[in-house]
Amino acid sequence: MAQTLRQPGRLRAAWGALRAVPSAVKAMATKSASISDATGSADVFGVDLDGVSVTPRTAMQLSAVWACVRLISETIATLPIGMHERVGAGRRYAPQHPLHGVLHDIPNPDATAAVFWESMVAAMLLRGAGRAEKLLYNGRVVGLEFLAPERLWPNRRQGQRVLDWRYTEDTGLQRVIPAERVWTVPGFSLDGKSGVSAIRYGSVVFGNAMSAEKFATRTFTGGRLQSLFYTIKEWLKQPQRDEFHKNIGERIRMGQAPLLEGGIEAKSLGINPDDAQLLESRGFSVEEICRWFRVPPFMVGHSEKSTSWGTGIEQQTIGFLTYTLRPWLTRIEQSVAKDLLTPAERLRFYPKFSVEGLLRGDSAGRAAFYTAMVNNGVLTRDEVRELEDREPMGGNAAVLTVQSAMTTLDGLGQQSDANAARAALRGFLGVNDPEPTKD
């Protein structure tokens, strides 16, 4: 004991370690981990898996992951979602439903609908599920509040079923939320219940990409990708070589052109095969990450190869909507109907995303769409004006119209009522139809 007291340095180090324990425990309390969850344990304890820590937060540092997640989540967040109603043999927009304003405008006092859906879809992409707390009033859903995945974990379980959740607020306070008040929208599922995390299943791909980024950073920092070398006619001693490397290296780092004298020549050197393979592997990592998120590489700025999704912007947009966005939109729509509507409401109301919102920045595409819908009697001109945020005109603008030259196949060659009346009148007056002229 006396020997220990004579070493104040060790005492200070031990005291500093003890003081760091509460902050470390507090930081761990905001995260969830399980013995069977290697990725979650690595996130909590800061352990690297095979030298690279693959978590949703670290994966988002990859530009390809960042771009894919932003592309999908922001696109879905900007698509209008609202309630619709089944009436008789048709359907109509139902903005009067209480849930419409929650989904379409303001889910809670602290967030807009766009911000809320961005967070939900990003959690579905990275974590396998997005969760929000139902804000209830008299048993009805009047709001939704996003629950950050890194601060939410199961509190009590009954087998695989979660009875309640523990959530850490921004202030650091924790509270328990009953499971029936937590709305879960799962992503792609393998068991029919829970969504799977692309980051966890693709940890090898994302880990390799992160390793390539780290190695490339060290490579560029260390100056391995040199494209010049210098020749000197005379042999130099070691101090002279050191001085030459120091002067040349400092000038290159400062962006200055080195001064060559005394018979020194600079020659060009092509990129070596190892460095070329490094650059190629980084490009391949982008394509691999895009496969995991089902995003065409050209939509995240990787344009080395042409896309097979069509040649025009319209065809590419249709492909992106069909193969990438549509599954996510369907999951959200069905989850809203299942968990946020009562059984009686589900018979009458249903949520729906308006994918026509993708045409908002394409005036030519909108014009062609409206023309086809009006000419075929699907929309009135006033309904088109409403979609364009313009006041209705009333009168004939509220009437469905079609092209007058159009008729049924059975009606071809038959006289119309107007032509029959005209022929009867000409016959009564004794006026003969003019003979057709012959050439």
Side-chain angles (χ1 to χ4, degrees), residues 111-405:
T112 62
V115 174
F116 173 80
W117 288 117
E118 278 179 356
S119 304
M120 286 289 291
V121 176
M124 294 168 64
L125 290 167
L126 297 172
R127 309 273 182 165
R131 293 183 172 87
E133 182 182 1
K134 303 176 188 176
L135 306 180
L136 303 176
Y137 180 76
N138 290 336
R140 298 187 64 90
V141 178
V142 296
L144 295 169
E145 185 173 353
F146 176 71
L147 299 175
E150 64 271 10
R151 293 189 273 127
L152 178 71
W153 68 95
N155 186 49
R156 290 187 303 140
R157 290 180 179 269
Q158 187 177 22
Q160 295 296 325
R161 179 186 177 190
V162 178
L163 299 178
D164 50 43
W165 298 80
R166 183 174 294 274
Y167 186 68
T168 304
E169 299 285 356
D170 297 334
T171 59
L173 299 178
Q174 296 184 4
R175 60 187 179 93
V176 176
I177 308 175
E180 57 270 15
R181 293 191 58 177
V182 176
W183 178 43
T184 302
V185 184
F188 174 69
S189 178
L190 296 176
D191 60 0
K193 297 179 181 179
S194 304
V196 297
S197 169
I199 302 301
R200 182 176 303 171
Y201 269 74
S203 59
V204 175
V205 173
F206 297 108
N208 290 339
M210 295 165 64
S211 299
E213 289 291 330
K214 289 185 177 180
F215 181 73
T217 301
R218 292 194 299 267
T219 298
F220 296 140
T221 303
R224 285 193 56 198
L225 295 177
Q226 292 291 336
S227 58
L228 293 176
F229 69 97
Y230 305 92
T231 59
I232 302 177
K233 296 181 179 180
E234 300 178 358
W235 289 95
L236 300 180
K237 298 181 180 180
Q238 188 60 42
Q240 294 174 319
R241 294 192 180 97
D242 295 339
E243 183 68 20
F244 177 80
H245 285 299
K246 180 179 179 181
N247 293 336
I248 294 295
E250 287 183 357
R251 288 187 174 275
I252 292 178
R253 281 193 296 270
M254 295 174 62
Q256 299 177 357
L259 178 62
L260 305 180
E261 54 185 348
I264 301 176
E265 296 182 5
K267 297 183 179 181
S268 175
L269 178 68
I271 186 171
N272 64 66
D274 292 338
D275 295 334
Q277 187 175 10
L278 169 62
L279 298 178
E280 183 179 355
S281 66
R282 295 181 71 193
F284 180 73
S285 296
V286 175
E287 299 177 8
E288 281 286 278
I289 292 173
C290 287
R291 289 190 186 100
W292 277 92
F293 291 102
R294 199 186 292 176
V295 171
F298 74 92
M299 298 193 79
V300 297
H302 187 74
S303 57
E304 291 184 1
K305 298 180 180 179
S306 61
T307 175
S308 59
W309 283 25
T311 56
I313 296 297
E314 180 182 4
Q315 294 300 320
Q316 296 171 4
T317 302
I318 293 175
F320 179 64
L321 171 63
T322 303
Y323 302 115
T324 304
L325 296 186
R326 192 64 211 171
W328 296 103
L329 299 179
T330 303
R331 290 187 185 101
I332 296 174
E333 290 172 350
Q334 294 181 353
S335 183
V336 169
K338 170 181 172 291
D339 298 328
L340 303 184
L341 296 177
T342 64
E345 288 179 323
R346 285 197 291 270
L347 298 176
R348 181 180 174 186
F349 297 96
Y350 64 96
K352 182 181 179 181
F353 279 97
S354 177
V355 294
E356 290 80 11
L358 294 175
L359 297 175
R360 192 170 184 176
D362 184 5
S363 58
R366 291 203 318 276
F369 171 75
Y370 293 151
T371 300
M373 300 299 277
V374 170
N375 289 344
N376 292 322
V378 180
L379 294 176
T380 66
R381 288 164 177 78
D382 270 352
E383 288 173 332
V384 171
R385 292 180 64 86
E386 182 180 355
L387 293 175
E388 288 293 306
D389 296 328
R390 296 176 180 271
E391 294 183 0
M393 298 295 295
N396 289 334
V399 179
L400 292 174
T401 60
V402 295
Q403 291 288 347
S404 60

